Amino acid sequence: MAYGEPSAQEVKDQKIYRTFGLTDAEYDQIVTHMDRLPNYVETGVFSVMWSEHCSYKSSRPVLRRFPTTGERVLQGPGENAGIVDIGDQLAVVFKMESHNHPTAIEPYQGAATGVGGIIRDVFTMGARPIALLNSLRFGTLEDAHNRYLFSHSVAGIGGYGNCIGIPTVGGEVVFDDRYSHNPLVNAMCVGVIVHDKIAKGTASGIGNPVLVVGAKTGRDGIHGATFASTQDPHAKERSAVQVGDPFMEKLLLEACLELIDTGKVVGIQDMGAAGLTSSSAEMASRAGSGLILDVSKVPVRETGMSPYEMMLSESQERMLVVMKRGEEDIAYRIFEKWGLEATVIGQVTDDGFLTIVDGEDIAAKMPVTALVDDAPIANRPSMRPTYLDTLEEVIPASLASTDLHHDLLALLSSPTIASKEWVYNQYDSMVRTETFVRPGSDAAVVGIPDSKKAIALVTDGNGRQVYLDPYEGGAMAVAEAARNLVCSGAKPLAITDCLNYGNPEKAEIFYQFERSIDGLSEACRVLDTPVIGGNVSLYNESHGIDIYPTPIVGMVGLIENREHITTSAVKYVGDVLLLLGEIQPQPKALAGSEYLAIKQPQNALSYAMPAIDLQKEKALQDVTLAAIQQGAVQAAHDLSDGGLLVALAEMGIDGGLGVTVTLPDTTDPLSLTALCFGEQPSRILLEVKPADVEHVQQLADKAGVTCMAIAKVTEQLHFEVQQNTKQILCATLEEITASWRDSIRRQMQ
Amino acid sequence: MKVQAKIFVTLKGSVLDPQGVAVTKALHAMKYEQVEDVRVGKYLEVVFDVENDSQAHELVAKMCDQLLTNPVIEKYTYELVEVLA
Amino acid sequence: MKVQAKIFVTLKGSVLDPQGVAVTKALHAMKYEQVEDVRVGKYLEVVFDVENDSQAHELVAKMCDQLLTNPVIEKYTYELVEVLA
Amino acid sequence: MKAAVISFPGSNCDQDAIKAIVSTMQIEADLVWHAHTDLSSYDLILVPGGFSYGDYLRSGAIARFSPVMEAVANEAQRGKFVIGICNGFQILTEAGLLPGALRRNESLQFQCEMAHLVVENASTPFTANYHFREEIIIPIAHGEGNYYADEATLDELVQNDQIVFRYADGHNPNGSVGSIAGIVNKKGNVLGMMPHPERAVHTLLGSDDGSKLFTSMLTTWREMHGVR
Ligand SMILES: Nc1ncnc2c1ncn2[C@@H]1O[C@H](COP(=O)(O)OP(=O)(O)O)[C@@H](O)[C@H]1O
Ligand SMILES: [Mg+2]
């Protein structure tokens, strides 16, 4: 009461718990678990632990459908990040997380702290972070506010990663007005670790000390939706958004890795959402233990903070550490060297309670199981959206291209397809000097220090496709990610995901969620890439508009031998470009395509897409990887946004060489358009020396993959397309390069 | 009349100011022990033409809220000076 | 006595201020056409303990010259305010 | 020959610098924490890139007061090779070991890309193995690399042949005066440059044009000391 908080009785009588977002039923459940009325602090702690964000109450049952095990999986979902084995006692640790809502309010800091959070998730496992990626969705650039969100988010992502010295090596950006009010910022971090150094987020061993390390605690991000907000003297000076301190995190990273290396750490976890509350409850839950914490010992940067504020503060750059008893000095010494604080604030108990004391007073005492394991599950109704049944199966002939040259340039300069140099040139992609393939190719490739191995990294997702067909769209996201890795010479290993959806309380949105997870899961099974972690972001809705269902896949692949690293740029004049996979897609392949979105925006969502054949996809990827490993491939590029001509143009632009394309015959303009710009999945282009063509063709034949020579690399700097010995398109390399390379920069000026 | 607005933007009080912390520490290391606290913010000088004082106040407030600051994390104060030809 | 120094750091007149130019452009694009010129600088609030005014002036000048500004490209002005307990 | 790579809180190219020195020069390179005050046993001192003290306030402003910087100044005075890369360049200018200052890039953005440079002076200890006017490709990665010096200082730089690297024609990425990318002090033993030669020492990294910068120092040092 010292802090002027309502009594337990008042919380109940005045239904104050509702202002925390708890329903009456949930409140009653809490009373049952507690066997008494929870006080104000306890109600607050329960409300955050049982929130969608921490408890995954809508998504948990559905997430169980993911395949999460595999030969190489050392750690699946459930820890701060997943881990896959890459041999030689080495493993890769990775995870992706969203920071959509904070970014919408304060794009620089929102995006920056998203990066900071995901880095902590990786080094808390004991891993050295070696790469960052980010997947972005914004409204179109004609709008000034979208430009503001976009430019500041990119600056924030760069600001954090550049400062901390982890290269940002990849990602993706898509522009669509569906994201105008709900930009998506998903950040992924990848680290390496030696098997026996893996740390976990467990609080075990009665009497072991619990420490807070890193930044001081302030009133950051404490949600204003409480009784206090109106009468709170600090309200005016407060912010729902945190400011990141990458410099602090760099020191924290080094100090934590040094500490973990001593072998005296029992458990360690970053303090992310709901800070001390969720980190302590989760660590105790994993160990089946209890914790007693004295919040008066937490180092603060503000005065007069209540236990409630201490427990819910989301101050960044902090970690919770459990040390072996008597070894606290090691932590003090290491943290002092890095100019940081490490403070014992409590210890592990065996009573199964999370007990919060404030000096002499007990502020809260709650059963850990009630906070974590018994969090309610919301069984959301699911209903197939009606729009899915009104999609047209036939693309009208009127959608055929009447000017291939014009349409190709329009596609190349569409910001979703155009070069993302404007973005990734703001990221330090080279620090650590292990980046062998920088942003701009299909997947980034990063070397594993002191080893011959390298890993390939990618993020992928296509919200429009998932909207048009949740199941197939989900499967396509995984397939595309894997295809990108294969094109860089890597064998896909596993994925992390970030599931961005609208309001799950709408049955149609929940259907999108469920069905797309089924699609993602099936593709993961077929392609043998289990899900080892991820994150869910729901309620991406505003002004009644939900974003496209946008699952983002972050995938990691392994390159055993650096000589197999392959990029998408063409290399040698005279080489042949082979198209693997469906040669002549049906007009249906134009559904959901970028071509359609540009040609007839009002009908971009009117047509049903073709399905993906996952077995064919697998065969295609196997052939490609085999050809690369046999040294027969000079460049490889997967076909995605914009289809065949865009992919060929990109290869020529990247390599600074001309390309002459010879298309197979088509019967009508619409088929030709589908051939040029259709986005039929499961296709790859390979640059092959003339002498190797036959060999690759045989490989493909044996695997039942269609393969056809479709283009030649030329010295003359033209991008030329012929059909039936007739030239149907001719552009200079300079022209297509300008369209593609300068588009975003031009729009951002 | 021509007016110069001097606008001082700082982070809200409860918002972490990493720059301020770093500068404070540096000053302490340089033996400026009498320094208690440093906050680092932005300073803008904006020159514009308006008819009168009240227009000037209105304009500055609008520009600050719309573009020059983000009220989610920042606050500002300003002073107006008339610029004589 | 406890003093708060408000320090305004700007680029020297001879040094181009691209940030100011960018803000001016952005304001013009938002139809603030009455804006003529913007300069962007830094604003620092430094709180410290001293015996008297002249010590305060001396201290601020020293900190500015040594650390807070780079005299090659920047200049500064400041104001002192006594902080009452 | 023995090298020291200085590490400040927030340095992040220190390990890269050590790797580059060891692989190109095959000499011993120590990581030296900023609190050290004696560098007399080293022949080459490299102040690496990164974000010392977060680059808060101004890049290099706080690091320049680290204890080790006095030692760096002393050794520079004694003629040892000192090289500041990126943040290291910023620190050396803040410390007054090199003239001028580095402002924000004209684009107001951080820029990371392969930069085309021209070697303007091939007779420094750092460039002896390059040709005069050789064009090389070395990456940049900075937000504040826009070199500034007033007219008088610029004249002096030209007169003393202190401009070592310029960005190639039409490729000035940050707006620096005279397209300056790197300079030496009057004596010629202290180099500051924004581009990162340590990131260009292997074709897998996209360029190995930076290797010669390191081997130049070895060549020069051996000549100076009569070592073969
Ligand atoms: N979409 C998902 N797919 C698989 N695992 C998930 C997904 N979302 C969350 N998880 C797993 O649930 C756990 C809790 O996730 P989260 O709350 O995001 O972690 P944190 O507490 O680090 O923020 C993690 O182990 C995460 O990998
Ligand atoms: Mg976590």
Side-chain angles (χ1 to χ4, degrees), chain A residues 109 237 243, chain B residues 9-18 39-41 73-75:
Chain A
Q109 295 297 342
E237 294 290 344
V243 166
Chain B
V9 185
T10 50
L11 290 166
K12 288 180 176 178
S14 251
V15 174
L16 174 72
D17 174 14
R39 304 279 291 175
V40 178
I73 50 170
E74 293 170 329
K75 57 184 185 173

Side-chain angles (χ1 to χ4, degrees), chain A residues 406-485:
Chain A
H406 169 271
D407 290 339
L408 175 64
L409 292 187
L411 279 169
L412 288 172
S413 60
S414 144
T416 294
I417 289 178
S419 163
K420 304 300 182 297
E421 247 173 52
W422 187 88
V423 175
Y424 60 69
N425 279 2
Q426 295 186 54
Y427 303 148
D428 187 342
S429 54
M430 311 180 202
V431 62
R432 297 187 55 75
T433 53
E434 293 283 353
T435 309
F436 301 149
V437 178
R438 282 177 290 132
S441 198
D442 279 346
V445 178
V446 176
I448 301 293
D450 308 317
S451 128
K452 269 226 126 357
K453 298 175 197 283
I455 52 174
L457 312 168
V458 75
T459 66
D460 253 311
N462 186 327
R464 193 160 60 219
Q465 289 178 346
V466 180
Y467 177 86
L468 289 173
D469 192 330
Y471 182 89
E472 298 294 336
M476 284 178 197
V478 176
E480 184 173 342
R483 211 182 306 132
N484 279 314
L485 293 187

Side-chain angles (χ1 to χ4, degrees), chain A residues 524-544:
Chain A
C524 286
R525 259 179 230 110
V526 174
L527 300 177
D528 194 17
T529 51
V531 178
I532 63 161
N535 169 253
V536 181
S537 169
L538 300 174
Y539 298 99
N540 290 290
E541 166 206 41
S542 57
H543 308 296

Side-chain angles (χ1 to χ4, degrees), chain A residues 107-136:
Chain A
Y108 185 98
Q109 295 297 342
T113 51
V115 173
I118 198 63
I119 294 171
R120 288 195 297 281
D121 271 335
V122 167
F123 74 73
T124 193
M125 304 298 294
R128 160 76 55 187
I130 60 166
L132 292 166
L133 296 95
N134 58 94
S135 174
L136 311 176

Side-chain angles (χ1 to χ4, degrees), chain A residues 173-246:
Chain A
V173 197
V174 170
F175 301 92
D176 191 303
D177 280 331
R178 267 315 244 272
Y179 301 103
S180 286
H181 298 284
N182 279 287
L184 303 184
V185 170
N186 294 178
M188 172 169 166
C189 181
V190 183
V192 278
I193 196 168
V194 178
H195 283 190
D196 60 6
K197 293 287 188 221
I198 294 173
K200 300 255 167 108
T202 47
S204 54
I206 302 166
N208 279 337
V210 180
L211 292 83
V212 169
V213 303
K216 287 183 162 58
T217 299
R219 290 187 176 87
D220 303 89
I222 297 168
H223 299 289
T226 71
F227 92 99
S229 57
T230 45
Q231 353 173 331
D232 180 357
H234 306 287
K236 259 201 354 245
E237 294 290 344
R238 245 184 220 187
S239 166
V241 173
Q242 301 89 27
V243 166
D245 184 352

